[in-house]
Amino acid sequence: MENQKILILNFGGQYDQLIARRVRECNVYCEVRPYTMTIGEIQEFNPIGIIFTGGPDSVYKEDSYRPAMGIFELGIPILGICYGCQLLAHYLGGSVTAAKEENVREYGKTLTFYDTSSLLFDGLAEEGISWMSHGDYMEKVPEGFQLTAHSERCPNVAICHEERKLYGVQFHPEVNHTENGIAMIHNFLYKICGAAGDWTMEDYMYRCIEEIRSKVGSGQVLLALSGGVDSSVCAALFAEAVGSKLTCVFVDHGLLRKREGDEVEDAFKKWDINLIRINAEKRFLGKLAGITDPEEKRKIIGEEFIRVFEEEGKKIGKTDFLAQGTIYPDVIESGKGNAETIKSHHNVGGLPDFVDFKEIIEPLRLLFKDEVRELGRQLGLPEYMVMRQPFPGPGLAIRVIGEITEEKLDILREADCIFREEIAKAKLDTQMNQYFAVLTNMKSVGVMGDGRTYDWAVALRSVTTEDFMTADWSRIPYDVLDRISSRIVNEVSHVNRVLYDITSKPPSTVEFE
């Protein structure tokens, strides 16, 4: 029997995938689709509920994003968030206008008062902090709707029509800043939509395996195994699905961390797959010689990966599919859909126009990093691989700032290894989501012994995050940072300075390039 599904219609909001994440955390399957879905497509999708995301537009503009006509007559429960709430008001007889008075515009943390007789707020505290972000105002509430929340500055914070199961909130329940926000989403899913909570990562795994088998049929699959968590979980998923039809090409491009190649090979010994390890260090470094622009590095590495796979595919024989471990943050940051391009990823924007395969299969495309890790556990990957530090497809190429050389890579490998060793010794590795060293393109004056030095500065980066869409820098104890710095400058040649990055995301990204 098919899982119950929630449909998330994206109106250009920045939190669409975070909403999806929250729904899945409640063990309900969901998919994010564009707001342009037709009534027929929605009916075919057959959701038990619909969530309208926020968005940057104003509903009263002529060219504003709007759902299909008739969506409110389908009898499907709807939760409108921020812009989605204003859609309910605007199209069901209410009125939304630009806020003319300071007391109805709200941004950031706001004390909010809830009517807990509404199913959406059932069982919750009558007041709490919510995260607001709206400059428009519901001037008139549609007939038949009740006001179910207000703040000191805005009387119309939430509305509902219990009989029609239509709910709208001006704030964002999906973000951590909103107290009891996940409980509100849980109420919508279970008390309003009647969800059974029948979706788990184990279930997702079995469905993926069946879908892969169905799509591949008698074809052959070539998988791009980079050694990171995403590509490794993808490889394990295909190994379970198609077995001997899968060939994993592990390209040692000379941009891996210390001892990483051997560790990847060891992790896949339990599966009966065709694993080919290619030493392509000279090839990649030759292509990257003299290149300093990070986007150009990504494009070159992405294209060279594909060229290697094409060549191996021809050696192997007929290869119908290319498998990749692209995950959703990659897609978001590469500017797909309505998101602004931040940087391209080798699995997304870095691919050349011509790819010599029938189709690219990306089964992890809708998963966040923590979901990918859980899927890896379900597939039986060793814990050291599942909890492996996130590693970008271009590898150390984007952690060496500026031009890449073999000497710089060796310096970075040693510094990064020391950083990871000391974090593990301090038992801090489970408290941080990603940590690594970067070789900057800056040299500085130093003193070692009685002599003057002029050598490289290494930067350390560590972040804590739930979804990698936002991240905070890790508060590593000073004594641990001291040991790390001391070891690096004493054990790694040509490094005389260690820096620690204390910038969150945003405004920076996790990686330097």
Side-chain angles (χ1 to χ4, degrees):
M1 185 175 72
E2 187 180 19
N3 281 120
Q4 295 176 324
K5 294 179 289 189
I6 292 291
L7 173 63
I8 299 172
L9 289 182
N10 180 19
F11 288 90
Q14 60 179 318
Y15 297 128
D16 56 340
Q17 292 306 310
L18 185 54
I19 297 170
R21 175 185 171 84
R22 298 308 184 208
V23 172
R24 293 176 191 170
E25 286 174 355
C26 294
N27 297 117
V28 180
Y29 183 70
C30 65
E31 291 184 19
V32 178
R33 298 291 182 88
Y35 71 92
T36 52
M37 277 187 84
T38 65
I39 290 296
E41 290 170 337
I42 293 171
Q43 290 175 320
E44 184 179 354
F45 187 84
N46 192 29
I48 61 169
I50 300 172
I51 297 177
F52 292 170
T53 72
D57 216 341
S58 293
V59 296
Y60 46 79
K61 291 182 180 178
E62 275 192 30
D63 58 350
S64 64
Y65 296 159
R66 57 194 67 183
M69 294 298 292
I71 192 170
F72 301 110
E73 281 68 56
L74 291 176
I76 300 172
I78 295 175
L79 171 61
I81 296 174
C82 197
Y83 178 84
C85 174
Q86 294 164 7
L87 281 171
L88 290 174
H90 183 71
Y91 286 101
L92 293 174
S95 175
V96 177
T97 184
K100 295 183 175 64
E101 299 177 14
E102 190 66 26
N103 68 339
V104 293
R105 292 183 182 182
E106 294 175 303
Y107 298 97
K109 296 179 180 179
T110 305
L111 180 61
T112 307
F113 303 91
Y114 307 103
D115 179 355
T116 56
S117 67
S118 169
L119 281 178
L120 191 65
F121 306 127
D122 183 44
L124 307 183
E126 293 184 350
E127 62 180 68
I129 297 297
S130 65
W131 183 261
M132 298 285 190
S133 182
H134 66 94
D136 286 339
Y137 170 61
M138 286 189 292
E139 189 175 47
K140 178 186 173 185
V141 174
E143 187 176 346
F145 278 74
Q146 295 176 307
L147 288 172
T148 55
H150 69 278
S151 68
E152 291 179 350
R153 301 171 67 185
C154 182
N156 303 340
V157 168
I159 58 174
C160 79
H161 194 304
E162 299 277 6
E163 187 179 342
R164 297 179 65 182
K165 297 186 177 181
L166 302 176
Y167 298 80
V169 294
Q170 285 279 97
F171 55 87
H172 288 273
E174 71 276 16
V175 302
N176 286 331
H177 299 303
T178 297
E179 295 174 355
N180 295 316
I182 296 178
M184 296 171 195
I185 293 173
H186 191 278
N187 278 349
F188 177 71
L189 298 173
Y190 287 87
K191 297 182 179 181
I192 296 167
C193 299
D198 58 358
W199 186 79
T200 63
M201 191 52 65
E202 181 181 20
D203 182 68
Y204 183 82
M205 176 186 71
Y206 288 128
R207 288 179 182 276
C208 270
I209 288 171
E210 288 305 313
E211 287 175 10
I212 290 169
R213 284 176 182 161
S214 175
K215 178 169 283 191
V216 171
S218 59
Q220 296 293 314
V221 181
L222 189 61
L223 188 140
L225 183 58
S226 71
V229 175
D230 305 334
S231 68
S232 297
V233 171
C234 188
L237 190 60
F238 273 87
E240 291 287 339
V242 299
S244 61
K245 298 172 187 174
L246 169 68
T247 298
C248 289
V249 176
F250 174 40
V251 180
D252 189 345
H253 48 21
L255 305 169
L256 298 174
R257 291 169 289 200
K258 190 174 182 178
R259 294 188 291 269
E260 190 158 42
D262 294 338
E263 290 175 357
V264 172
E265 279 194 291
D266 290 343
F268 284 91
K269 285 181 178 178
K270 64 169 284 186
W271 275 285
D272 184 21
I273 62 173
N274 303 312
L275 177 59
I276 300 172
R277 182 174 177 178
I278 300 171
N279 185 357
E281 179 180 12
K282 290 184 179 179
R283 174 172 177 167
F284 276 82
L285 292 186
K287 292 282 185 179
L288 292 166
I291 304 299
T292 59
D293 180 74
E295 280 298 286
E296 194 173 352
K297 289 180 187 177
R298 291 174 183 274
K299 299 286 186 184
I300 289 171
I301 293 168
E303 180 161 351
E304 208 56 30
F305 259 95
I306 294 299
R307 298 285 82 83
V308 171
F309 294 139
E310 284 177 345
E311 292 167 12
E312 288 306 310
K314 289 171 184 175
K315 293 177 187 176
I316 294 163
K318 183 181 177 183
T319 302
D320 305 285
F321 301 95
L322 175 68
Q324 289 193 151
T326 307
I327 67 172
Y328 212 87
D330 297 343
V331 178
I332 289 288
E333 290 200 338
S334 295
K336 301 302 180 184
N338 294 308
E340 180 184 355
T341 300
I342 299 172
K343 59 186 178 184
S344 65
H345 287 257
H346 82 289
N347 285 350
V348 186
L351 292 177
D353 294 333
F354 173 76
V355 181
D356 192 17
F357 301 95
K358 182 194 298 182
E359 187 177 347
I360 295 176
I361 306 177
E362 298 172 312
L364 312 182
R365 195 176 180 86
L366 289 177
L367 297 184
F368 291 95
K369 181 68 73 174
D370 61 320
E371 294 175 314
V372 173
R373 293 188 195 280
E374 180 56 31
L375 179 58
R377 291 189 183 95
Q378 294 291 336
L379 289 161
L381 277 172
E383 189 68 13
Y384 76 81
M385 178 62 72
V386 169
M387 291 307 296
R388 195 177 196 82
Q389 280 291 295
F391 194 56
L396 298 182
I398 59 170
R399 292 180 181 173
V400 170
I401 309 303
E403 184 179 4
I404 301 164
T405 66
E406 188 173 352
E407 180 187 31
K408 286 182 178 180
L409 289 168
D410 287 340
I411 291 170
L412 178 56
R413 265 188 278 268
E414 294 302 323
D416 183 73
C417 183
I418 289 171
F419 186 23
R420 289 186 286 126
E421 284 177 357
E422 290 299 326
I423 290 297
K425 285 180 186 175
K427 295 182 170 46
L428 296 172
D429 48 332
T430 59
Q431 299 176 30
M432 302 182 296
N433 300 99
Q434 188 169 355
Y435 51 97
F436 54 89
V438 173
L439 184 63
T440 73
N441 58 353
M442 179 186 79
K443 283 190 171 184
S444 66
V445 175
V447 177
M448 287 188 175
D450 295 324
R452 173 187 181 277
T453 63
Y454 189 66
D455 275 323
W456 297 109
V458 165
L460 306 178
R461 176 73 160 149
S462 177
V463 298
T464 55
T465 178
E466 283 196 2
D467 51 25
F468 283 89
M469 304 306 290
T470 61
D472 193 15
W473 60 277
S474 306
R475 273 61 172 176
I476 299 176
Y478 289 158
D479 61 329
V480 178
L481 286 172
D482 183 47
R483 285 197 300 274
I484 295 166
S485 175
S486 179
R487 281 195 61 192
I488 289 176
V489 295
N490 280 283
E491 298 176 29
V492 183
S493 299
H494 304 297
V495 175
N496 67 0
R497 192 175 298 270
V498 177
L499 314 172
Y500 187 49
D501 182 355
I502 58 169
T503 319
S504 296
K505 173 186 178 181
S508 69
T509 56
V510 174
E511 297 287 347
F512 275 44
E513 292 191 339

